[in-house]
Amino acid sequence: MSELLDGQATESDLAFESALRPSNLEEFIGQDKVKQQLDLLLKAASLQNRSPDHILLAGPPGLGKTTLAMIVSNEIGSGLRMTSGPTIQHAGDLAAVLSSLSAGEVLFIDEIHRMARPAEELLYMAMEDFRVDVMVGKGAGASSISLELEPFTLVGATTRSGMLPSPLRDRFGYTANLEFYESAELSFVLQRAANKLNLTIDTEAVRLISSRSRGTPRIANRLLRRVRDYAIVSKKDSIDSLLAEQALNVYEVDSLGLDRLDKQVLMALITKFEGRPVGLSTLAVALGEEPETIESVVEPFLLREGLIERTPKGRQATPLAHRHLGLQL
Ligand SMILES: Nc1ncnc2c1ncn2[C@@H]1O[C@H](COP(=O)(O)OP(=O)(O)OP(=O)(O)O)[C@@H](O)[C@H]1O
Ligand SMILES: [Mg+2]
């Protein structure tokens, strides 16, 4: 997938993003329902002087899960520990993190669906009873001891909530399903980023970039940086829509923000499989991609734009996809 339109973070995104991350709910743009629900959850907990319930943040890459986790810890004024599913390969890794948390801390586990099974089971008990059983010793002399934990709030993030076992999903008091952003919301994100970067950009240019950002703030910020580069090299000190359009054309960002892999998926559905419904794994093999990438990165956006449909028999491109690619039905 071309890096430019992939919602997943690159090194240069990370450096830039930390400067642009909104630090409280008020500054966080869009996702109004989630914001309102989170706000209630945090306020109720604070009025009762307890840690908020565990929170699960679900949605495609780049929509603000890590940002929201940081905001939760900021809003309740407590420390934040960050770890991720793939780094927790043994129950012991998780037990060590959990037992080192101080009272009221927020533990953020990114990509929580990729945690090892035994660790997952340990987490169930920790979430529910603030307790973990750990094994001490080896072989016949091994025994298990129960450790009390300080109360904490777990914030889990996942791009694939469907992959979480239901006992884990059920232990979260609240699940926020993040949606793709409207173009108007992305315009706010862009305007804010432009101010931080000291860029002069007109509203038409902002609107153009936001309409090509795949509903994703991370991509919006990234496209803005590419347009800025283009402005610098063209020795322009302000950005208008013509300049933005020229820059995005150089990077082959099309009018809907589709990138090469999006288009390959649509082309495969339409031409290779001739419009028949196609299963995920068949599609992934045909494109030489991981099924997970297709399912969690490519499909959510194509579905939301009405370019594909998921039927019980598989995926199909819609008439809109045919039109967008200039192909006959
Ligand atoms: N609602 C928002 N308002 C303003 N900026 C946002 C918002 N959401 C995300 N961003 C910007 O997008 C960047 C990416 O967001 P974030 O890292 O939180 O995404 P993520 O959902 O954790 O992605 P991943 O699944 O790849 O971990 C942030 O650094 C921030 O600059
Ligand atoms: Mg993240």
Side-chain angles (χ1 to χ4, degrees), residues 9 14 17 21 61-62 64-67 82 108 110-111 157 218:
L14 294 179
E17 282 176 0
R21 274 214 162 90
K65 296 181 295 297
T66 302
T67 307
M82 304 183 80
F108 177 55
D110 208 355
E111 298 186 78
R218 173 177 293 136

Side-chain angles (χ1 to χ4, degrees), residues 194-318:
N195 292 343
K196 293 227 173 186
L197 292 171
N198 281 325
L199 295 178
T200 314
I201 179 165
D202 71 20
T203 48
E204 281 305 309
V206 165
R207 199 170 305 150
L208 182 91
I209 299 172
S210 63
S211 69
R212 298 191 183 188
S213 299
R214 268 179 132 264
T216 306
R218 173 177 293 136
I219 296 177
N221 284 336
R222 188 186 296 156
L223 294 184
L224 180 66
R225 275 175 289 155
R226 296 295 74 80
V227 172
R228 174 205 55 189
D229 292 350
Y230 190 87
I232 292 172
V233 173
S234 334
K235 304 210 173 350
K236 296 275 166 47
D237 46 18
S238 69
I239 297 168
D240 59 17
S241 57
L242 183 65
L243 187 105
E245 168 110 48
Q246 287 166 344
L248 296 181
N249 287 343
V250 170
Y251 288 103
E252 297 181 78
V253 178
D254 86 357
S255 63
L256 289 178
L258 302 191
D259 74 349
R260 196 175 320 121
L261 185 56
D262 294 321
K263 286 188 199 147
Q264 280 172 351
V265 166
L266 294 178
M267 286 303 280
L269 290 174
I270 293 172
T271 57
K272 189 170 176 106
F273 299 104
E274 298 173 327
R276 292 188 303 272
V278 185
L280 175 64
S281 47
T282 311
L283 186 59
V285 170
L287 296 168
E289 279 290 339
E290 293 295 322
E292 177 164 348
T293 308
I294 308 272
E295 195 174 29
S296 64
V297 180
V298 180
E299 286 192 344
F301 184 70
L302 296 182
L303 280 168
R304 117 115 189 212
E305 291 295 303
L307 294 164
I308 59 168
E309 274 170 357
R310 269 161 77 162
T311 67
K313 287 193 188 143
R315 287 82 178 138
Q316 271 177 308
T318 63

Side-chain angles (χ1 to χ4, degrees), residues 92-105:
D93 299 341
L94 183 62
V97 175
L98 288 168
S99 55
S100 71
L101 291 175
S102 39
E105 260 188 315

Side-chain angles (χ1 to χ4, degrees), residues 2 11 56 114 118-119 143 154 162 170 172 194-195 217 273 289 297 306:
S2 97
E11 283 292 316
L56 181 64
R114 293 178 59 194
S143 62
L154 176 67
D170 295 345
F172 287 98
N195 292 343
F273 299 104
E289 279 290 339
V297 180

